[in-house]
Amino acid sequence: MEQERKVDFGFGCMRLPVLENDKPDSFDYERINKLFDTFLEQGFTYFDTAYTYHGYHAEEAVRKALVERYPREKFQLATKLPLRDFKDTEDMEYIFNEQLANCGVDYFDCYLLHNMGTNVYEKCKKYDAFGFVKKKKEEGKIRQAGMSFHDMPELLDEILAQYGDILDFIQLQINYADWEQPNVQSHRCLEVAQKYGKPIIVMEPCKGGTLVNLPKEAETLLKERRPQSSNASWAMRFAASQQGVIRVLSGMNTIEQVKDNAETFRNFEPVTAEEIKVLQKVTEMIEKNMPIPCTGCSYCTHGCPKNIAIPQYFALFNSISRITGSFSSHAVYYHNTSLKHGKASECIGCGQCEKACPQHLSIREFLGQVAAKFETDDIFPVKK
Ligand code: SF4
Ligand code: SF4
């Protein structure tokens, strides 16, 4: 680990505050404005959004809360080409222009191929998505091109060998819980990016909030070691301590979180070898308490023919595993959610969701477990 290094901190806009949980575009602008204002006041400038976030409305929210309220030179903006959505070369152009309009800008500081993986790589080669971002860079519409990657290190190696000269940076899921996880392989992906000398931006440093809302015993362990440090600061420090990491993104919902993260990066202290051992113990405790390692990103729900509320059901299942005794309130939540969505048992097994899941979860199998847990009449009567 390097001792003196500056790592930037970016605002991730995948989970912005909303007024109604079931409406991804019901943005709470009063809160979003305050969060963005505080982030900028703390001296940070980088915002990361995507075409698909918040049911395809996040770019518009960023325009209203950021672009229309601050001069362009006061912030850096990153967004992403939706690889699962574009149809052909013309469509990439169409989407890109739409994104400029959505965001109200005439260039992007960073533009990423979004969620690159096995399921979209062939399509990207066929329509030359890499050549497309190169062209946009030459036109001055993109300052830097990158890709967010959620697949295995072997594929990352193959892509960087082929297209590495086009990509200025790689965005990877790096956190201490996924470090050696076989379905994410943070550590090995990082090593591949390092091999090609690519700067790394970290996404999901807190694994969708999992490393903030830790099991009690894990939180106690961290507090014993550093009483003043938040759970989030441990996760941020771990991610930012890795060689080659230039920036860590964080999705934040409260002013306290923004200030806490800003403090972590302003007075950055790399994690020590001893602290890494503590984090390994914390990982074991999390795994014991979390049977479904879902980050809640919602990539899987787009296009589900049964409109099944996959992340909500998985979150309920995980929280039940942390408690003992009655879980009637969880059954009520399940029941209410299933009135507006398909039930877990209504899955037809088409597998579309699994192709989209960046965590490579066996969603169909887990839905079977969710159904077995919640859809029993003795727990709570659910929609027939
Ligand atoms: S496998 Fe089931 S949950 Fe997944 S997209 Fe198909 S119907 Fe929906
Ligand atoms: S199942 Fe996968 S795609 Fe769906 S919310 Fe969880 S992590 Fe995201």
Side-chain angles (χ1 to χ4, degrees), residues 135-262:
K135 180 171 75 104
K136 288 293 154 198
K137 215 160 71 171
E138 286 160 4
E139 288 172 5
K141 301 270 170 84
I142 297 174
R143 299 281 192 262
Q144 289 203 307
M147 77 177 172
S148 63
F149 184 82
H150 287 283
D151 210 309
M152 296 299 110
E154 294 74 20
L155 180 65
L156 182 60
D157 205 331
E158 185 185 331
I159 295 174
L160 289 181
Q162 190 73 26
Y163 299 104
D165 56 331
I166 294 173
L167 301 170
D168 300 298
F169 66 95
I170 308 297
Q171 192 153 301
L172 293 174
Q173 174 167 329
I174 293 173
N175 61 65
Y176 64 81
D178 287 326
W179 193 234
E180 304 293 352
Q181 269 289 330
N183 58 336
V184 178
Q185 301 199 36
S186 286
H187 189 181
R188 285 200 49 221
C189 285
L190 178 89
E191 285 175 344
V192 173
Q194 287 168 343
K195 181 174 110 180
Y196 287 90
K198 292 292 165 195
I200 297 148
I201 297 182
V202 173
M203 57 186 161
E204 300 284 11
C206 296
K207 200 172 163 59
T210 304
L211 308 188
V212 176
N213 305 309
L214 291 171
K216 195 88 206 108
E217 51 175 348
E219 183 157 340
T220 305
L221 193 64
L222 295 185
K223 283 282 176 246
E224 277 167 8
R225 191 75 182 65
R226 286 171 72 104
Q228 307 304 325
S229 296
S230 66
N231 295 345
S233 74
W234 279 88
M236 295 293 167
R237 288 176 53 233
F238 178 85
S241 295
Q242 308 309 324
Q243 196 195 342
V245 169
I246 55 160
R247 177 175 295 126
V248 179
L249 304 177
S250 175
M252 295 160 284
N253 284 105
T254 67
I255 301 293
E256 291 68 37
Q257 286 169 349
V258 178
K259 289 185 176 168
D260 179 46
N261 285 337

Side-chain angles (χ1 to χ4, degrees), residues 98-111:
E98 202 185 339
Q99 291 182 286
L100 289 174
N102 288 344
C103 293
V105 295
D106 49 20
Y107 71 94
F108 295 115
D109 298 276
C110 291
Y111 192 72

Side-chain angles (χ1 to χ4, degrees), residues 300 303-306 308 310 347-353 363-364 367:
C300 54
C304 168
K306 292 292 176 181
I308 295 172
I310 300 166
C347 169
I348 56 166
C350 66
Q352 182 153 322
C353 52
I363 296 176
R364 289 170 284 187
L367 282 175

